[in-house]
C-alpha cells in the first residue's frame, strides 16, 4: 500500500514535470511565433529612426535556439552602409547578426528591449578620410530619433556583445594609421545602456597587422587580450583600466585613455612589458625575424615601455609625444649553433619624439655592449636634434667580424676582419656655424672581407687605419688621417692614403693608386638598377690647401698624376639622361687637369674633347667652388633637345637641392636647358650636324662661354636650308621652366619656300610666306623669353631689323587676291617683287612694318602698318596707278591672313597689343 502511494506520487510529479516541460517547450516554439510580427515591425522602425545609413538583410527570424536561452532576433546576410562621405560603401557586412531580446519586455512592456548583440562571420570596415570624416557616424542624434516617438519603442540596452570569426579593417588616412584584425573573436559584457559603464572584454585575434605611415609595425601577430575599459558615451571617451595582452608569446600590460575629439583624438597610452624573456619579445617581431628566431638560441631579460600622450589633430599639425624605452640584460644570442655565441649582451636605449617631430628626437643609449669570448663591443651615445644634433658618444671595440656576423645570423652579407676602435665625441655638429663635436679616436680594420649575395666575388684584403682628432669643437680644428687604406677587388689592388685638416680651409694630402670597376663594385652592395657604372684607374698625389686652389696660388700646390676614365656615367639633377665618358685620361698638374682625345656621348649626341680644367678639387669638395676651363669640342651630331631639363617647375636654378623623385602618376616635365652657375668654361666648338627645336643645322662652329649660368655665343655660324647664317647670342635660364635670350642674326640669300617648309618658327612669324617663292636676306635682332618647351613666348619678343627681298614671286596670297578683287585689277593677284628692303620692329606681339614701295606691271603699291604674330592684319596700302603712280587708290587691309578684308579708304583700327605677363 505504501509502495503504491509512493509510486503514485512519483507518477504525479513526473506528470507535472512533463506537463511543465511540454509547456515550456511549447512556449519556446510559440513565443517567437506569437511575437514575431511585433518584433519585426519594431526592429524596422528602430532602424529607420536610429540609423542614418542604409540597412539591408535577406531574412529575419526569431528563435530561442540560436543563442539559447536568449530569445534572439536574427538578421541573415546583413549589410550596413557607412555615413557620409562613405554612404555608398559597406561599413558592416555579416552572415548573421542576432539581437538578444528581454522576454519580460515582450509580455509586460510596450517596448521591446534589446540587451545582447551577436555577430558571426562579419566584416567591419572602418574608414576615415584625410579630413577626419569617418564612416561610423551612422547613429542619429537622440533629438532626431525622438521627434516622432509614440508609446511603443525599441530600447537598446546592451549587456553583452559577442563577435565570432570576423574581420576588422581600420583605415584612418588622417592619422595614417591602418590595422587589420583577422580571425577576430570578441566577448564584451557591461551595462552598455548607461552613459558611463565598465566594459569587460575578452578578445582573440589570429592575425593582427598594424601599419603607420606605410611602415609595418606588427604583422601576422596572434593576440589574446583580457580587458576592462571604462566607456563614456557622452564624451566618446575610453579609459583602459586593466588590460593584459599577449602578442604571440610576449605578455604586455596596456593602460591608458583615448578620447575622440571633434577634429582628432586625445590619447594617453602606456604599454609595457616587465622582465620578459628576450625570446618572447622576438615572437612579436615581423615574420622575417620569426624565421631567424627558429634557428637561434636566445636568452635574456627584457623591459619595454612605450608611451604616447597628447592630442593628435591633423588640421592643426598637433601630434602627441612618443617615448620608447628598451632594456636588455645579460643577453645571449647564438644563431645556427655557432661556435662563438654572443654573450653579455646589454642594451639600454631611451628614445623621445616630442610632438612626433623628428627634429626634436633624442636618443639616449646608455649602454650597448656584448662579448664574444674575450672580444668586445662597448659603446654609449646620446643624440639630440636632427638638423644640428648634439652628440655625446663613446665607442670601444675589439671584435672579429666573422664571429659576430655568424653568431647574430646577419643575412645576405659575409664579413671578415679584425675591427678595433676607440672613439669619443662630445659636442654639436652644425655645418652652417662650422661646429664639429670634440672628437678623438682611432678606427682600424685588418684583413677585411665583404661578400654579398648580389655579386659572386668578394672585396678582400681590406685594411683601414684611421685617426680622427678635434680638440676645439670646430671645423678648423678637425683632423682626419687615413694611413693606409687598401682593398683588392677582382684581383686588382687599390691603395689610398689621406691626411685632411682644417675643414674651414681644407688642407689635404692624398695619395691614390689602383684600378676600380665602378659597375661591379656597385653590384656588390645592391641588386637594384644601376646608378653608377664605369672604370677608373688612378695614380695621383694631391697636396695643398683649399684657399690656394681658390686664389690661384698654384706654386703652393703639389698635384700630380693621371686619372683614367672609361664608360663613366655622370648624372645631374638638371639632365634627363646620363652623360657618358667613353674614355679619356686626365693628366693632373697642380690646379690644372688636362685631357686629351676624350670621347663622350649623351643620348644620340657624340663629343670629342681636348683641353683643360682648373679649380677641380675646390669645385668637387665645396658648394661654392667654380669649375674653370677651356677646351675644343667637336661632334658629328648633337641633339640639343635631349638636354632639356626635367627638374620640377618651382625649383630655382641657383639652388643645390636634390631633385624630387618622380612618382608613377606624374609625367616627366620638359624644361629649358640649364647652365650650372658654378661653371666658367670656354668652348671652341664645331659640329657637323646639330638638331635644335626642329632645326637641322649643318657645319656649326662657334665660340661658346658658360659663366655664372649664362651662355654666350660669339661668331657662331652654321648652314641652314642651304644658306650661311652668322649669329651672336646670349642665353640664361631663370627657372627650369623659363629662360631669357637675345640674339643677332644675319642670313644671306635664303630660299623663302624652303624656309617656310623647314623652319617652324618662320612659319609662325611669317605665315604670309606660304605662297611666296624667291630669295631673301635677313639682318635681325631679337630678344625675349622661352617657355619650358624651349619655345619663344611671342608677347615677350622685342626687336627689329631688315628683310631684303630679291626676285620674289607671290602666288595665290589671299591678301593680294582681295586687293585685286576690290580694285578690279587682275594683275594684282600674283605680283613679282624685286630689290625691296622691308624694315620692321616687334613688340607686345605686334610687328610694325615701316612704309615700303615696290612696282610691277605698271602699278606702284605702297604698304605700311601692323600685323600680330597670331595672324591679324591692320595694313594701310596705296595702289599707285599707271603710268607713274601719281594717282592712287587708298586701301585698308584688316581681318586675318586667312581671311583678309580689303576696303577703299584710310580709316583703320589699331590691333590690340598682348603684353608679356610672366
Amino acid at each position: 500500500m505504501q509502495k503504491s502511494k509512493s509510486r503514485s506520487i512519483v507518477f504525479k510529479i513526473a506528470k507535472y514535470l512533463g506537463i511543465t516541460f511540454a509547456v515550456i517547450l511549447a512556449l519556446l516554439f510559440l513565443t517567437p511565433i506569437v511575437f514575431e510580427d511585433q518584433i519585426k515591425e519594431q526592429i524596422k522602425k528602430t532602424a529607420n529612426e536610429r540609423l542614418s545609413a542604409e540597412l539591408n538583410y535577406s531574412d529575419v527570424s526569431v528563435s530561442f535556439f540560436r543563442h539559447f536561452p536568449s530569445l534572439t532576433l536574427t538578421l541573415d546576410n546583413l549589410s550596413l552602409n557607412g555615413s557620409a562621405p562613405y554612404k555608398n560603401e559597406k561599413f558592416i557586412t555579416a552572415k548573421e547578426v542576432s539581437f538578444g531580446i528581454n522576454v519580460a519586455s515582450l509580455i509586460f512592456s510596450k517596448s521591446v528591449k534589446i540587451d545582447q548583440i551577436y555577430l558571426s562571420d562579419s566584416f567591419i570596415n572602418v574608414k576615415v578620410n584625410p579630413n577626419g570624416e569617418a564612416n561610423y557616424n551612422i547613429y542619429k542624434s537622440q533629438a532626431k530619433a525622438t521627434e516622432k516617438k509614440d508609446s511603443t519603442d525599441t530600447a537598446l540596452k546592451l549587456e553583452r556583445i559577442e563577435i565570432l570569426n570576423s574581420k576588422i579593417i581600420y583605415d584612418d588616412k588622417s592619422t595614417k594609421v591602418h590595422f587589420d584584425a583577422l580571425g577576430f573573436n570578441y566577448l564584451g559584457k557591461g551595462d552598455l545602456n548607461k552613459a558611463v559603464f565598465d566594459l569587460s572584454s575578452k578578445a582573440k585575434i589570429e592575425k593582427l597587422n598594424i601599419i603607420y605611415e606605410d611602415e609595418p609595425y606588427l604583422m601576422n601577430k596572434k593576440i589574446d587580450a583580457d580587458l576592462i575599459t571604462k566607456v563614456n558615451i557622452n564624451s566618446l571617451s575610453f579609459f583602459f583600466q586593466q588590460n593584459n595582452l599577449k602578442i604571440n608569446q610576449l605578455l604586455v600590460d596596456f593602460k591608458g585613455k583615448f578620447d575622440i575629439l571633434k577634429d582628432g583624438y586625445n590619447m594617453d597610452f602606456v604599454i609595457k612589458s616587465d622582465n620578459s624573456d628576450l625570446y618572447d619579445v622576438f615572437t612579436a617581431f615581423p615574420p622575417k625575424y620569426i624565421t631567424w628566431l627558429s634557428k637561434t638560441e636566445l636568452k635574456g631579460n627584457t623591459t619595454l615601455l612605450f608611451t604616447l600622450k597628447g592630442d593628435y589633430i591633423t588640421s592643426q599639425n598637433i601630434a602627441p609625444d612618443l617615448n620608447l624605452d628598451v632594456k636588455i640584460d645579460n643577453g645571449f644570442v647564438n644563431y645556427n649553433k655557432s661556435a662563438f655565441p654572443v654573450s653579455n649582451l646589454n642594451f639600454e636605449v631611451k628614445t623621445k619624439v616630442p610632438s612626433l617631430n623628428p627634429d626634436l628626437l633624442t636618443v639616449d643609449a646608455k649602454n650597448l655592449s656584448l662579448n664574444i669570448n674575450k672580444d668586445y663591443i662597448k659603446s654609449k651615445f646620446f643624440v639630440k636634434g636632427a638638423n644640428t644634433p648634439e652628440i655625446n658618444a663613446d665607442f670601444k671595440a675589439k671584435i672579429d667580424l666573422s664571429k659576430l656576423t655568424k653568431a647574430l645570423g646577419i643575412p645576405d652579407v659575409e664579413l671578415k676582419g679584425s675591427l678595433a676602435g676607440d672613439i669619443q665625441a662630445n659636442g654639436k655638429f652644425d655645418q652652417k656655424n662650422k661646429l664639429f663635436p670634440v672628437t678623438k679616436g682611432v678606427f682600424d680594420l685588418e684583413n677585411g672581407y665583404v661578400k654579398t649575395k648580389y655579386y659572386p666575388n668578394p672585396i678582400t684584403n681590406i685594411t683601414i687605419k684611421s685617426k680622427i682628432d678635434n680638440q676645439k669643437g670646430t671645423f678648423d680644428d678637425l683632423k682626419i688621417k687615413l694611413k693606409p687604406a687598401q682593398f683588392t677587388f677582382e684581383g686588382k689592388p687599390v691603395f689610398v692614403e689621406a691626411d685632411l685638416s682644417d675643414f674651414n680651409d681644407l688642407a689635404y694630402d692624398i695619395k691614390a693608386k689602383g684600378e676600380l670597376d665602378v659597375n661591379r663594385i656597385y653590384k656588390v652592395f645592391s641588386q637594384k638598377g644601376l646608378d653608377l657604372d664605369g672604370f677608373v684607374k688612378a695614380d695621383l698625389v694631391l697636396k695643398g690647401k683649399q684657399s690656394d686652389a681658390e686664389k690661384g696660388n698654384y706654386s703652393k700646390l703639389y698635384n700630380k698624376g693621371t686619372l683614367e676614365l672609361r664608360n663613366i656615367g655622370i648624372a645631374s639633377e638638371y639632365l634627363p639622361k646620363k652623360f657618358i665618358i667613353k674614355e679619356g685620361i686626365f693628366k693632373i698638374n697642380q690646379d690644372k687637369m688636362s685631357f686629351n682625345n676624350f670621347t663622350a656621348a649623351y643620348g644620340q649626341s657624340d663629343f670629342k674633347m681636348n683641353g683643360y680644367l682648373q679649380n677641380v678639387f675646390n669645385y668637387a669638395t665645396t658648394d661654392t667652388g667654380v669649375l674653370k676651363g677651356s677646351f675644343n669640342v667637336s661632334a658629328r651630331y648633337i641633339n640639343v633637345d635631349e638636354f632639356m631639363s626635367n627638374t620640377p617647375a618651382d625649383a630655382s636654378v641657383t639652388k643645390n637641392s636634390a631633385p624630387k623623385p618622380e612618382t608613377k602618376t606624374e609625367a616627366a616635365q620638359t624644361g629649358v636647358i640649364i647652365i650650372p652657375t658654378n661653371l666658367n668654361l670656354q668652348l671652341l666648338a664645331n659640329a657637323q650636324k646639330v638638331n635644335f627645336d626642329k632645326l637641322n643645322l649643318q657645319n656649326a662652329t662657334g665660340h661658346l662661354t658658360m659663366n655664372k649660368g649664362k651662355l654666350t655665343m660669339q661668331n657662331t655660324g652654321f648652314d641652314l636650308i642651304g644658306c650661311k647664317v652668322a649669329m651672336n647670342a646670349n642665353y640664361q635660364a631663370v627657372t627650369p621652366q623659363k629662360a631669357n635670350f637675345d640674339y643677332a642674326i644675319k642670313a644671306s640669300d635664303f630660299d623663302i619656300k624652303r624656309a617656310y617648309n623647314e623652319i617652324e618658327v618662320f612659319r609662325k612669324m611669317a605665315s604670309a610666306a606660304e605662297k611666296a617663292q624667291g630669295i631673301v636676306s635677313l639682318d635681325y635682332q631679337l630678344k625675349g623669353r622661352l617657355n619650358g618647351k624651349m619655345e619663344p613666348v611671342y608677347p615677350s619678343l622685342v626687336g627689329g631689323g631688315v628683310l631684303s627681298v630679291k626676285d620674289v614671286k607671290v602666288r595665290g596670297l589671299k591678301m593680294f587676291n582681295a586687293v585685286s578683287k576690290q580694285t578690279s585689277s587682275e594683275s594684282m593677284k600674283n605680283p613679282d617683287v624685286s630689290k625691296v628692303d622691308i624694315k620692321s620692329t616687334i613688340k607686345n606681339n605686334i610687328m610694325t612694318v615701316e612704309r615700303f614701295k615696290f612696282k610691277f606691271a605698271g602699278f606702284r603699291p605702297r604698304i605700311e602698318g601692323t600685323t600680330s604674330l597670331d595672324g591679324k592684319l591692320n595694313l594701310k596700302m596705296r595702289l599707285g596707278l599707271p603710268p607713274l603712280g601719281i594717282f592712287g587708290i587708298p586701301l585698308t587691309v584688316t581681318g586675318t591672313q586667312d581671311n583678309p578684308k580689303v576696303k577703299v579708304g584710310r580709316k583703320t583700327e589699331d590691333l590690340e597689343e598682348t603684353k608679356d605677363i610672366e
Side-chain angles (χ1 to χ4, degrees):
M1 194 72 175
Q2 188 67 32
K3 287 181 180 180
S4 178
K5 280 186 178 181
S6 297
R7 190 179 295 118
S8 177
I9 292 170
V10 170
F11 280 133
K12 284 182 180 180
I13 291 172
K15 179 181 176 182
Y16 292 136
L17 285 174
I19 291 170
T20 302
F21 181 75
V23 169
I24 291 171
L25 195 61
L27 285 172
L28 289 176
F29 281 102
L30 291 173
T31 302
I33 296 171
V34 170
F35 293 102
E36 184 172 16
D37 290 339
Q38 180 186 347
I39 293 169
K40 286 181 180 180
E41 187 64 32
Q42 289 300 319
I43 209 72
K44 282 183 181 179
K45 184 178 179 183
T46 301
N48 289 330
E49 287 182 351
R50 300 292 175 89
L51 299 179
S52 61
E54 181 184 343
L55 175 69
N56 292 299
Y57 45 86
S58 64
D59 193 18
V60 182
S61 60
V62 182
S63 171
F64 276 105
F65 299 105
R66 290 225 185 183
H67 296 279
F68 188 81
S70 297
L71 175 63
T72 56
L73 168 81
T74 300
L75 306 179
D76 293 324
N77 301 314
L78 175 137
S79 69
L80 175 64
N81 283 12
S83 55
Y86 297 100
K87 283 195 170 185
N88 297 322
E89 298 182 38
K90 298 289 186 290
F91 168 38
I92 298 175
T93 59
K95 182 179 179 182
E96 175 187 305
V97 177
S98 299
F99 300 92
I101 298 170
N102 186 305
V103 177
S105 71
L106 288 172
I107 301 171
F108 302 110
S109 173
K110 291 184 178 181
S111 64
V112 179
K113 294 179 181 177
I114 296 172
D115 55 14
Q116 299 176 28
I117 292 180
Y118 304 87
L119 275 82
S120 177
D121 298 302
S122 63
F123 174 29
I124 302 170
N125 187 22
V126 180
K127 288 187 173 185
V128 183
N129 70 10
N131 298 323
E133 298 169 315
N135 70 339
Y136 51 73
N137 296 318
I138 59 169
Y139 198 67
K140 289 181 181 178
S141 65
Q142 196 64 26
K144 289 183 180 178
T146 56
E147 277 177 5
K148 298 181 180 180
K149 202 171 183 181
D150 57 22
S151 57
T152 61
D153 200 355
T154 304
L156 189 65
K157 298 185 176 181
L158 292 178
E159 296 175 3
R160 180 186 182 99
I161 298 175
E162 189 167 355
I163 301 173
L164 300 172
N165 191 32
S166 295
K167 173 182 176 182
I168 298 175
I169 292 181
Y170 178 91
D171 187 19
D172 187 343
K173 296 194 183 302
S174 68
T175 59
K176 299 180 182 177
V177 173
H178 179 104
F179 71 76
D180 307 331
L182 311 177
F184 179 62
N185 291 276
Y186 175 81
L187 174 62
K189 296 180 180 180
D191 196 352
L192 277 67
N193 63 303
K194 292 183 178 179
V196 180
F197 61 88
D198 288 341
L199 176 64
S200 298
S201 306
K202 291 183 182 292
K204 286 189 177 182
I205 302 172
E206 290 300 317
K207 288 183 180 180
L208 175 66
N209 305 320
I210 297 179
I211 299 169
Y212 175 65
E213 291 192 338
D214 297 326
E215 287 293 326
Y217 283 78
L218 293 177
M219 298 298 290
N220 297 328
K221 298 305 161 200
K222 189 173 183 178
I223 305 295
D224 194 341
D226 191 354
L227 318 171
I228 297 177
T229 307
K230 185 179 288 291
V231 181
N232 187 325
I233 294 296
N234 293 332
S235 62
L236 283 177
S237 163
F238 304 87
F239 179 57
F240 305 98
Q241 296 170 294
Q242 176 186 328
N243 300 278
N244 297 313
L245 291 174
K246 189 176 183 183
I247 306 173
N248 282 3
Q249 292 176 229
L250 177 65
L251 288 171
V252 176
D253 182 52
F254 171 43
K255 292 182 179 179
K257 69 171 186 174
F258 183 78
D259 298 332
I260 298 177
L261 309 176
K262 181 181 179 181
D263 50 0
Y265 309 98
N266 174 269
M267 54 190 76
D268 186 355
F269 294 146
V270 179
I271 301 173
K272 64 180 179 177
S273 178
D274 290 328
N275 295 318
S276 299
D277 191 279
L278 184 58
Y279 182 92
D280 294 341
V281 172
F282 269 82
T283 66
F285 275 47
K288 63 181 179 181
Y289 295 103
I290 304 300
T291 305
W292 172 84
L293 191 60
S294 66
K295 298 180 181 180
T296 305
E297 185 181 358
L298 201 58
K299 300 175 186 176
N301 295 322
T302 305
T303 299
L304 302 171
L305 176 62
F306 173 86
T307 65
L308 190 63
K309 183 174 183 179
D311 290 342
Y312 202 142
I313 304 174
T314 307
S315 60
Q316 300 178 36
N317 288 324
I318 296 174
D321 299 332
L322 181 149
N323 293 337
L324 176 62
D325 298 347
V326 181
K327 186 177 181 181
I328 300 172
D329 289 323
N330 300 315
F332 177 92
V333 184
N334 190 2
Y335 177 77
N336 209 19
K337 299 181 180 178
S338 165
F340 302 98
V342 168
S343 61
N344 297 323
L345 174 63
N346 294 283
F347 184 73
E348 185 175 358
V349 178
K350 294 180 181 291
T351 303
K352 296 181 179 180
V353 192
S355 300
L356 293 180
N357 185 347
D359 291 334
L360 302 177
L361 166 75
T362 61
V363 180
D364 187 1
K366 295 182 178 179
N367 185 12
L368 173 57
S369 59
L370 58 84
N371 287 99
I372 298 179
N373 290 349
K374 293 183 179 181
D375 285 0
Y376 63 88
I377 293 177
K378 186 173 179 61
S379 67
K380 62 180 180 180
F381 61 89
F382 174 85
V383 178
K384 182 178 181 181
N387 292 325
T388 57
E390 293 179 22
I391 301 170
N392 188 348
D394 187 350
F395 173 82
K396 291 181 175 65
K398 183 181 177 300
I399 199 84
D400 186 312
L401 294 178
S402 175
K403 294 176 182 178
L404 181 66
T405 54
K406 286 179 180 177
L408 296 179
I410 297 175
D412 303 332
V413 63
E414 184 180 353
L415 299 176
K416 295 179 184 178
S418 298
L419 175 67
D422 188 350
I423 300 174
Q424 296 82 42
N426 188 5
K428 178 177 281 193
F429 177 81
D430 185 345
Q431 189 171 8
K432 182 179 179 181
N433 294 307
K434 306 298 182 182
L435 298 177
F436 193 92
V438 172
T439 307
K440 185 175 184 179
V442 295
F443 186 87
D444 298 340
L445 175 64
E446 293 183 357
N447 300 316
Y449 175 104
V450 177
K451 185 177 184 298
T452 70
K453 68 176 184 179
Y454 308 119
Y455 192 75
N457 299 326
I459 303 171
T460 61
N461 300 326
I462 305 170
T463 299
I464 299 173
K465 286 191 175 293
S466 66
K467 183 178 181 181
I468 182 169
D469 186 67
N470 182 11
Q471 296 300 312
K472 297 180 181 178
T474 58
F475 268 42
D476 58 6
D477 195 51
L478 177 60
K479 303 176 186 67
I480 298 175
K481 290 186 178 182
L482 193 65
K483 292 186 177 181
Q486 68 180 60
F487 62 88
T488 301
F489 182 63
E490 295 288 5
K492 296 175 181 178
V494 175
F495 302 90
V496 178
E497 286 190 12
D499 193 343
L500 309 175
S501 61
D502 189 356
F503 280 67
N504 262 344
D505 180 12
L506 185 62
Y508 56 90
D509 186 352
I510 302 170
K511 297 180 180 68
K513 187 174 184 178
E515 299 180 23
L516 187 61
D517 191 322
V518 180
N519 182 302
R520 291 180 177 180
I521 198 113
Y522 181 78
K523 282 184 179 177
V524 171
F525 299 104
S526 176
Q527 62 180 345
K528 299 176 183 177
L530 289 179
D531 293 327
L532 299 171
D533 49 25
F535 172 88
V536 178
K537 183 178 179 180
D539 188 356
L540 298 173
V541 176
L542 306 173
K543 188 175 182 180
K545 294 189 71 172
Q546 181 180 325
S547 58
D548 289 330
E550 285 179 353
K551 295 173 183 176
N553 299 327
Y554 305 133
S555 60
K556 296 182 179 181
L557 305 177
Y558 185 82
N559 298 324
K560 299 281 185 185
T562 59
L563 188 66
E564 182 178 343
L565 308 178
R566 190 158 62 240
N567 294 326
I568 295 292
I570 300 173
S572 164
E573 63 180 291
Y574 298 123
L575 296 177
K577 296 178 182 290
K578 272 188 181 178
F579 190 88
I580 307 293
I581 299 175
K582 292 182 177 180
E583 61 180 349
I585 298 177
F586 284 111
K587 291 186 178 180
I588 297 165
N589 184 12
Q590 303 299 69
D591 192 53
K592 184 177 285 188
M593 182 182 285
S594 303
F595 49 101
N596 298 310
N597 296 323
F598 255 68
T599 58
Y602 181 87
Q604 299 173 346
S605 307
D606 65 90
F607 305 91
K608 191 172 283 187
M609 295 180 286
N610 292 281
Y612 69 89
L613 296 171
Q614 275 185 293
N615 204 35
V616 177
F617 186 81
N618 188 40
Y619 170 77
T621 57
T622 70
D623 293 334
T624 57
V626 177
L627 183 64
K628 302 174 183 178
S630 177
F631 44 93
N632 297 334
V633 179
S634 60
R636 288 175 299 175
Y637 176 64
I638 299 176
N639 186 356
V640 179
D641 294 342
E642 290 185 317
F643 286 81
M644 290 189 185
S645 168
N646 60 1
T647 307
D650 58 353
S652 169
V653 298
T654 59
K655 291 182 180 178
N656 292 319
S657 58
K660 297 177 182 177
E662 289 179 18
T663 63
K664 291 181 179 179
T665 55
E666 290 180 356
Q669 290 180 304
T670 59
V672 299
I673 298 167
I674 293 174
I675 311 299
T677 55
N678 53 353
L679 295 180
N680 184 1
L681 302 176
Q682 308 288 325
L683 291 85
L684 186 61
N686 65 82
Q688 295 176 27
K689 185 179 178 182
V690 178
N691 182 69
F692 171 60
D693 194 25
K694 301 177 183 177
L695 294 177
N696 293 314
L697 313 181
Q698 306 288 332
N699 302 317
T701 61
H703 183 257
L704 282 71
T705 301
M706 283 184 276
N707 190 18
K708 297 180 180 178
K710 186 176 183 179
L711 173 66
T712 301
M713 292 186 287
Q714 295 174 316
N715 302 319
T716 301
F718 52 85
D719 295 341
L720 177 65
I721 61 168
C723 76
K724 297 286 184 184
V725 179
M727 184 170 68
N728 291 316
N730 293 294
Y731 168 92
Q732 188 166 25
V734 182
T735 75
Q737 296 294 306
K738 182 173 71 174
N740 295 328
F741 74 93
D742 64 79
Y743 69 83
I745 187 170
K746 287 186 178 182
S748 302
D749 298 337
F750 69 85
D751 189 304
I752 292 179
K753 192 72 173 175
R754 217 176 142 184
Y756 186 87
N757 291 335
E758 297 181 26
I759 304 175
E760 183 177 12
V761 173
F762 187 82
R763 278 200 299 276
K764 289 182 178 178
M765 295 183 65
S767 57
E770 180 182 7
K771 304 294 185 179
Q773 299 176 24
I775 303 298
V776 299
S777 296
L778 182 68
D779 186 351
Y780 222 84
Q781 297 80 43
L782 202 62
K783 67 177 181 179
R785 183 163 53 87
L786 301 174
N787 64 19
K789 295 180 180 179
M790 289 294 286
E791 298 170 340
V793 178
Y794 289 112
S796 75
L797 299 180
V798 178
V802 179
L803 180 69
S804 298
V805 177
K806 180 180 177 182
D807 297 329
V808 171
K809 301 178 188 296
V810 180
R811 298 289 179 267
L813 189 65
K814 291 182 178 179
M815 187 184 83
F816 284 107
N817 286 344
V819 171
S820 174
K821 186 177 180 181
Q822 182 71 30
T823 60
S824 301
S825 175
E826 188 69 22
S827 59
M828 281 298 296
K829 281 187 177 181
N830 300 306
D832 295 345
V833 183
S834 64
K835 296 182 180 178
V836 176
D837 290 340
I838 304 172
K839 296 180 180 179
S840 63
T841 57
I842 294 175
K843 189 176 182 180
N844 296 335
N845 209 36
I846 300 293
M847 178 182 286
T848 301
V849 181
E850 294 184 18
R851 180 180 296 183
F852 68 94
K853 303 175 184 178
F854 59 97
K855 58 183 178 180
F856 68 94
F859 290 95
R860 297 182 181 233
R862 187 182 74 198
I863 300 176
E864 62 186 301
T866 57
T867 67
S868 68
L869 296 183
D870 56 1
K872 295 176 182 176
L873 302 174
N874 181 26
L875 297 174
K876 294 180 180 179
M877 187 173 180
R878 180 184 184 277
L879 185 61
L881 301 175
L884 299 175
I886 297 172
F887 299 99
I889 303 172
L891 301 171
T892 61
V893 184
T894 57
T896 66
Q897 290 174 358
D898 291 333
N899 185 24
K901 297 177 181 178
V902 179
K903 294 181 180 179
V904 176
R906 293 185 174 86
K907 189 176 181 181
T908 64
E909 293 184 6
D910 291 340
L911 294 179
E912 184 178 350
E913 295 183 352
T914 304
K915 294 189 178 180
D916 185 29
I917 301 174
E918 295 190 24

